[in-house]
Amino acid sequence: MLLKTNPYYTKLISQKEALIATITASLRNYLESNCYPTEVVNEIVSEEFIAANPSYYVYYPYLFKDYFQIDDTETLDMLSIAGFLYYRAVILIDRIFDDKNSKHNFKKYFIANICQEETIKILSRFFGENPKFWKTWNLRKFEYAKAYKLDKTLKSINDISEFEALADYKSAFGKIAIDCLFQLSNKKDKELYTSLLASHKYFYVAFQIFDDIKDYTEDVENEQFNISKYELILKLQTENDSIDSYTIAEQKKLIYLKGIAENLYEKATNYLDKSIALQADFSSQNTQLWTNEIDGLYNTGITHFLNIKGFISMFNSQQKLSLESHSNTTIQEAVESADSFLKNSQISDGSWNDILNDAGVSDVWATCFVTQTLSEFNMESAEAIAYIQKHQLASKLWSYNKIWLEDADSSSFALLSLSKQEIPTEEAFNQWLMFQNKDGGFATYNDKNILISSLNSPNIKNVNGWLQSHFCVSAVAFLVCVELEKTETLAFQNLRTYLLNQLSSKKHLLSYWWTTDAYALYYVLLAAIKTNDTEIIRLSEIRTEIELKRTVKTTNYFYKSYLLKTVCLRANLLKKHRAEIDNIALQIISNQFADGSWKGNYSLKMPHPSVVNTARKDIQWKPGNKGTNCIVKDFNRVFTTVSCLSALKNYGASLS
């Protein structure tokens, strides 16, 4: 299971937007030319309705036109209008049946009747009395009728094929687009036709699974069959429990807590894999409108899957993490206790999991971060090294988690971890250099199309913030070049120039992803010391002293640990700030929990991809895990704990 990305994504989005604009305008013109009142036209071509439904319902035949080599835009536009009108009628009729007492039902029926009449009129232009087409048309009508009846009467299924049939029947109107194009094509390729119908079916099985999870309450109240309720009933039966013991709200929680939603999302992505495979023999770059819809739904499933796993992980974490204070009195005791916590937190596959955002929980980046930090003291785990090697992507780089796309920062920590073990990294390093921008700095991501397609939102078109150079990412990249002995390269010199410019600037905050600069300054200063770069050292020391003043009262032990680590790198800073540093070390030791951890902290910012300057005063950074322009914490306490362990090791060494 990997995120689907597309290098032509923005081109496809532009194409779809143009189709929506063209066809909605044509639809409006068509209705007006048939003398329908403005009120009726506005009701049918409702912007609210179009926005609330998947955009492809406006241009359905265009999804499949290239498979059948039909390029006449007038034909395709009219078929699209017919398809939209038919879909509009179906939805209106559904609402009439679902809300029998509505005073607006006559109006809905009247509009639905107009939509159906116009659909038939348009299709009659193309197919006349063609018996093959109208036979298929009637078949689709009765399939939809079966779907409606099953939705209301189906209480159980013998196997998943019955649910597949239900989803397929529900999407009968969509199959008419494929039927039309097949009948209009010069070459009646039956194999292509059959494969596309099957691809369409599996797409809608996945779609129906997502819909059932999202609409659980509505479906249960309307007594409609819902696959997640069915799976919950089976699960509770195996536990000698009954669904009748729970309210609808409790049932909805249980489908997440008992892993049902997670399993269903995984099943849905498997159906989408089948959907993409079924059309693969007939696809080309020109058929990407359909494959893009499959990939988009796949990515939606992955995002939900990751978020469910993340919230369950966070829930379980809150149940087991200690809130009892530790009774440490020495640095060594605190370090040993932290080491035990990290060993106990490590997953059986060798990874550490921490931090939750819209991309789910991090496993690869988290593991690389912990491993690199521990490697400074030769405390790294062989299992973690193996995990990092195993989850190197085909691009030779690494990602936030094993499902997401590669990024420079995760790759930096992986390169540092592997190079310490003398594992070859040259090929990965060369790919990693692709994240360096013209200004010498490193961006987190480096491909606009790939990034936008991974974010999978029609509302995100500007990702300049995530593609620009980031001081915090460049800081770790600076250490990578030093540790991999690449300091004679032009890339290193350009990176050094970028860092000098940033450190010399009057910016209050240099870091993009972090709420302070303490984290980034440590890596810059560590690398500069290793190369005896006096200018970088001088500027880093100045910035570090500023950070000391800013964070003197903070209870964020992630940042306190980085300040302690950074000051311990320089004897002059230690001497000058001995009292402050001793106090920070004492605070860290005194605030360790009984399980060896330290409190997780809201330290990592998640800016909207369009945000270039995260120091903007108009952005209200609020704690949270969903969306953007929020601050997330290390809920498993792994990031803070390994950083505190590292800081105390450095501090202890400075005392000897």
Side-chain angles (χ1 to χ4, degrees):
M1 188 185 289
L2 285 171
L3 204 68
K4 308 281 189 184
T5 56
N6 190 326
Y8 306 103
Y9 187 81
T10 53
K11 180 181 177 182
L12 288 167
I13 293 297
S14 297
Q15 185 180 349
K16 290 195 283 187
E17 288 174 346
L19 284 172
I20 293 168
T22 299
I23 293 167
T24 51
S26 297
L27 173 59
R28 183 174 290 277
N29 290 337
Y30 173 81
L31 294 170
E32 289 172 350
S33 69
N34 281 278
C35 301
Y36 287 109
T38 301
E39 180 187 356
V40 170
V41 174
N42 289 340
E43 181 66 24
I44 294 173
V45 196
S46 163
E47 290 182 9
E48 183 181 352
F49 177 81
I50 292 170
N53 287 273
S55 64
Y56 51 75
Y57 289 138
V58 176
Y59 52 84
Y60 220 94
Y62 276 90
L63 296 175
F64 306 101
K65 73 179 187 69
D66 289 308
Y67 294 96
F68 294 100
Q69 298 176 15
I70 294 176
D71 298 314
D72 182 66
T73 55
E74 185 177 351
T75 297
L76 291 164
D77 286 357
M78 290 308 298
L79 289 176
S80 296
I81 289 170
F84 178 82
L85 289 170
Y86 190 60
Y87 177 66
R88 193 80 175 93
V90 166
I91 297 301
L92 285 166
I93 292 168
D94 276 355
R95 288 176 180 172
I96 292 169
F97 283 119
D98 288 342
D99 190 7
K100 297 181 180 65
N101 300 317
S102 172
K103 62 181 180 180
H104 302 294
N105 277 347
F106 176 76
K107 180 182 177 182
K108 290 175 186 173
Y109 173 78
F110 184 69
I111 297 293
N113 188 254
I114 291 171
C115 291
Q116 287 181 324
E117 284 181 359
E118 293 302 331
T119 299
I120 298 297
K121 282 163 63 177
I122 293 170
L123 293 179
S124 295
R125 288 191 199 179
F126 295 101
F127 302 105
E129 296 182 3
N130 182 334
K132 289 184 179 179
F133 174 78
W134 294 111
K135 182 179 178 181
T136 307
W137 167 264
N138 287 329
L139 173 66
R140 302 302 179 216
K141 281 200 304 184
F142 281 101
E143 282 180 351
Y144 192 79
K146 286 180 187 176
Y148 186 84
K149 184 178 179 181
L150 283 171
D151 234 3
K152 295 297 184 183
T153 60
L154 192 62
K155 302 298 180 186
S156 182
I157 55 177
N158 294 315
D159 59 59
I160 197 67
S161 65
E162 293 180 45
F163 177 74
E164 292 174 1
L166 171 61
D168 190 38
Y169 293 159
K170 278 189 171 186
S171 71
F173 89 93
K175 291 190 286 186
I176 293 170
I178 301 173
D179 299 333
C180 288
L181 296 173
F182 174 66
Q183 291 296 333
L184 291 174
S185 65
N186 292 322
K187 183 182 178 183
K188 299 293 188 290
D189 189 334
K190 193 74 181 219
E191 185 183 355
L192 164 64
Y193 177 59
T194 304
S195 292
L196 282 179
L197 287 174
S199 176
H200 189 271
K201 171 184 175 178
Y202 288 127
F203 176 85
Y204 273 96
V205 174
F207 187 96
Q208 190 61 49
I209 290 172
F210 295 166
D211 215 40
D212 280 9
I213 296 171
K214 178 172 67 73
D215 295 337
Y216 186 90
T217 302
E218 183 182 341
D219 286 352
V220 173
E221 288 176 346
N222 290 333
E223 298 182 340
Q224 290 177 260
F225 180 80
N226 185 291
I227 190 66
S228 53
K229 180 182 178 181
Y230 170 74
E231 294 287 346
L232 177 60
I233 290 170
L234 294 182
K235 178 69 174 176
L236 291 173
Q237 285 175 350
T238 64
E239 298 171 355
N240 295 318
D241 201 352
S242 169
I243 197 168
D244 297 329
S245 305
Y246 303 94
T247 65
I248 294 177
E250 289 169 336
Q251 292 170 27
K252 195 168 181 178
K253 287 181 182 177
L254 287 175
I255 68 170
Y256 292 98
L257 294 176
K258 291 189 175 292
I260 290 163
E262 185 180 327
N263 290 335
L264 283 173
Y265 279 123
E266 192 166 9
K267 279 183 181 178
T269 55
N270 289 336
Y271 278 116
L272 291 167
D273 279 332
K274 288 182 181 179
S275 179
I276 206 79
L278 279 162
Q279 59 79 59
D281 290 341
F282 310 99
S283 66
S284 67
Q285 187 175 322
N286 292 330
T287 58
Q288 285 199 6
L289 275 176
W290 174 235
T291 57
N292 180 250
E293 294 302 339
I294 302 172
D295 289 348
L297 194 61
Y298 186 96
N299 286 350
T300 297
I302 281 187
T303 301
H304 289 317
F305 174 81
L306 290 172
N307 275 277
I308 290 168
K309 285 181 72 70
F311 280 107
I312 291 173
S313 179
M314 182 180 283
F315 176 82
N316 292 334
S317 176
Q318 290 170 347
Q319 311 307 307
K320 68 181 182 181
L321 289 172
S322 174
L323 295 174
E324 181 184 346
S325 296
H326 204 292
S327 57
N328 287 328
T329 54
T330 68
I331 294 171
Q332 188 58 31
E333 286 178 341
V335 167
E336 289 175 358
S337 184
D339 184 43
S340 294
F341 173 81
L342 291 170
K343 286 176 179 174
N344 292 332
S345 301
Q346 192 174 16
I347 312 298
S348 58
D349 63 5
S351 70
W352 281 277
N353 292 189
D354 208 354
I355 295 182
L356 173 64
N357 57 35
D358 278 350
V361 173
S362 175
D363 44 35
V364 178
W365 174 49
T367 304
C368 294
F369 178 87
V370 174
T371 302
Q372 187 278 326
T373 305
L374 292 177
S375 73
E376 294 180 5
F377 313 101
N378 297 316
M379 296 172 66
E380 61 269 49
S381 154
E383 292 79 12
I385 293 292
Y387 182 88
I388 294 169
Q389 288 182 285
K390 180 179 179 181
H391 293 289
Q392 186 176 19
L393 299 171
S395 64
K396 303 302 177 185
L397 297 173
W398 292 265
S399 53
Y400 172 80
N401 58 40
K402 55 181 173 281
I403 291 174
W404 216 247
L405 71 158
E406 64 266 22
D407 67 86
D409 209 42
S410 300
S411 299
S412 290
F413 282 104
L415 287 167
L416 289 168
S417 300
L418 298 182
S419 65
K420 187 71 184 294
Q421 302 298 310
E422 298 184 355
I423 295 169
T425 57
E426 191 67 22
E427 191 175 3
F429 176 83
N430 290 333
Q431 289 298 116
W432 171 84
L433 284 176
M434 300 297 289
F435 289 86
Q436 188 171 31
N437 285 326
K438 289 181 180 179
D439 63 3
F442 276 70
T444 305
Y445 300 101
N446 67 349
D447 189 301
K448 179 181 176 180
N449 278 297
I450 296 295
L451 178 55
I452 294 178
S453 65
S454 72
L455 296 172
N456 196 35
S457 169
N459 301 317
I460 298 178
K461 298 176 183 176
N462 180 352
V463 289
N464 292 339
W466 290 12
L467 295 174
Q468 68 176 336
S469 296
H470 300 136
F471 177 76
C472 39
V473 176
S474 300
V476 185
F478 193 51
L479 182 61
V480 170
C481 289
V482 170
E483 293 290 4
L484 272 61
E485 299 180 350
K486 303 293 184 180
T487 55
E488 299 302 318
T489 63
L490 180 61
F492 176 79
Q493 295 305 319
N494 290 339
L495 175 55
R496 180 181 179 276
T497 300
Y498 167 83
L499 292 172
L500 274 173
N501 290 336
Q502 292 293 305
L503 291 166
S504 304
S505 72
K506 294 181 180 179
K507 292 179 183 176
H508 175 77
L509 177 68
L510 300 177
S511 297
Y512 186 81
W513 298 105
W514 303 92
T515 55
T516 82
D517 288 329
Y519 160 95
L521 289 171
Y522 171 74
Y523 295 106
V524 172
L525 187 55
L526 178 61
I529 290 169
K530 289 176 179 287
T531 56
N532 195 28
D533 190 328
T534 55
E535 186 62 10
I536 295 281
I537 290 170
R538 182 182 69 81
L539 293 170
S540 298
E541 287 180 348
I542 292 171
R543 289 275 184 175
T544 299
E545 291 188 278
I546 293 171
E547 287 297 310
L548 271 172
K549 291 176 183 177
R550 285 180 185 158
T551 56
V552 65
K553 293 182 180 179
T554 184
T555 56
N556 184 316
Y557 291 101
F558 178 76
Y559 285 135
K560 279 188 179 292
S561 67
Y562 265 94
L563 280 171
L564 182 57
K565 287 170 68 170
T566 307
V567 173
C568 286
L569 291 173
R570 299 293 292 164
N572 58 316
L573 289 178
L574 266 172
K575 184 177 180 181
K576 185 177 179 180
H577 299 284
R578 174 55 73 180
E580 296 157 86
I581 290 307
D582 288 344
N583 187 42
I584 289 175
L586 180 61
Q587 287 177 37
I588 291 174
I589 293 170
S590 303
N591 284 278
Q592 189 176 27
F593 289 114
D595 60 3
S597 68
W598 280 269
K599 178 185 174 183
N601 295 277
Y602 287 98
S603 307
L604 184 68
K605 289 188 296 189
M606 289 304 303
H608 188 275
S610 65
V611 171
V612 173
N613 178 16
T614 57
R616 275 169 37 189
K617 293 182 180 179
D618 63 311
I619 301 176
Q620 299 296 315
W621 298 97
K622 295 181 180 180
N625 302 102
K626 293 291 292 176
T628 54
N629 291 351
C630 62
I631 314 173
V632 300
K633 73 172 182 177
D634 54 324
F635 69 89
N636 264 337
R637 302 180 181 173
V638 169
F639 276 75
T640 297
T641 299
V642 74
S643 300
C644 286
L645 181 155
S646 172
L648 291 177
K649 291 279 284 184
N650 278 294
Y651 176 71
S654 76
L655 296 175
S656 57

